Amino acid sequence: MRVLLLGGTAEARALAAELHPETAVISSLAGRVPDPALPVGEVRIGGFGGVDGLTRWLRDEAVAAVVDATHPFAARITANAAVASARARLPHVVLARPAWPVGEAIVVDSDLDAADVVVERGFARVFLTTGRSGSAAFANVDAWFLIRAVTPPDDVDLPPGHELVLSRGPYHYADERKLLVDYDIDALVTKNSGGDMTRAKVDAADDLGIPVIMVDRPRLPAGVSTVSNVIDAAAWVRAL
């Protein structure tokens, strides 16, 4: 049985390893990150050409099921996969890692809303961790930003006052706490990505009394089936 696994996350790599070699898993990566961590088994890199392209690809490759284990904020591919799977009449499930508890965080709907909060609250030194595409919303904000991303923003205006740090998780509590203190950070802006790889910054900020501005994750397409962990996703595939 051939299964398309939309990946690029730690959960996707773990699921590919869990199913290998009993299931022919084709892991698909968007190709936006240079030198990505690759899963075991067959890997394809790049887009499909929207819903129509993905639908054709699923049929041409005789795929039997689709597992979407992309990042919680990869809304476009998640929406396309739901529609294409329905058109191809294939079983489809989303591996949706649980969101972080928001606690005392200021929850907003978008990067632009987060930028508005920074301005309204008068934060001066902000740790910005919304990824390379999220930095543009803060280009005209009069504050200093420590911007952390896996790859540099492409053709995006950055705030005049900033330092760019390129790194990839997992991150650890002691290091995150030291970073917040050393840079005299007075606000953290993050997406509610969930998972353990990047949670430490939120815990450290909470313990230091630093306000957290958290961008809420986009809603999943209506009617999709979901599982919350790798074991349940593997069980879903095996049950087919």
Side-chain angles (χ1 to χ4, degrees):
M1 184 175 71
R2 290 165 62 79
V3 174
L4 174 64
L5 173 55
L6 300 171
T9 61
E11 290 87 355
R13 293 190 293 274
L15 180 57
E18 175 70 22
L19 294 173
H20 184 79
E22 66 190 84
T23 303
V25 174
I26 308 166
S27 295
S28 178
L29 309 182
R32 295 175 182 171
V33 177
D35 190 27
L38 296 178
V40 298
E42 184 178 347
V43 178
R44 72 173 301 281
I45 297 178
F48 293 94
V51 172
D52 292 341
L54 178 53
T55 304
R56 285 193 300 271
W57 189 91
L58 292 171
R59 291 169 174 162
D60 291 345
E61 296 295 323
V63 168
V66 178
V67 179
D68 179 356
T70 55
H71 192 276
F73 282 81
R76 179 175 296 179
I77 185 59
T78 292
N80 288 352
V83 175
S85 297
R87 287 184 180 178
R89 298 184 179 181
L90 296 180
H92 165 253
V93 71
V94 177
L95 200 176
R97 72 174 76 134
W100 294 323
V102 299
E104 299 297 319
I106 304 166
V107 180
V108 296
D109 291 329
S110 69
D111 297 323
L112 288 171
D113 290 339
D116 288 341
V117 172
V118 171
V119 173
E120 291 165 3
R121 299 283 292 269
F123 294 123
R125 297 182 63 83
V126 180
F127 186 25
L128 180 59
T129 64
T130 54
R132 65 178 185 176
S133 61
S135 303
F138 299 83
N140 297 316
V141 175
D142 185 17
W144 184 88
F145 292 86
L146 176 64
I147 303 173
R148 186 167 70 190
V150 176
T151 57
D154 294 330
D155 300 322
V156 169
D157 290 332
L158 297 178
H162 75 271
E163 179 178 334
L164 181 62
V165 176
L166 302 180
S167 68
R168 180 182 297 167
Y171 301 105
H172 305 289
Y173 178 86
D175 297 329
E176 297 290 74
R177 184 184 177 101
K178 184 176 187 301
L179 181 148
L180 293 170
V181 171
D182 288 351
Y183 280 90
D184 194 24
I185 297 298
D186 63 4
L188 165 66
V189 179
T190 184
K191 293 179 177 179
N192 193 341
S193 300
D196 296 329
M197 289 187 67
T198 60
R199 167 77 199 193
K201 63 190 175 188
V202 178
D203 293 334
D206 284 343
D207 291 346
L208 291 167
I210 295 172
V212 176
I213 305 167
M214 190 175 291
V215 181
D216 202 8
R217 58 176 60 180
R219 293 184 179 181
L220 293 172
V224 298
S225 298
T226 63
V227 293
S228 61
N229 57 67
V230 170
I231 298 302
D232 288 349
W236 181 89
V237 172
R238 290 171 177 141
L240 297 176

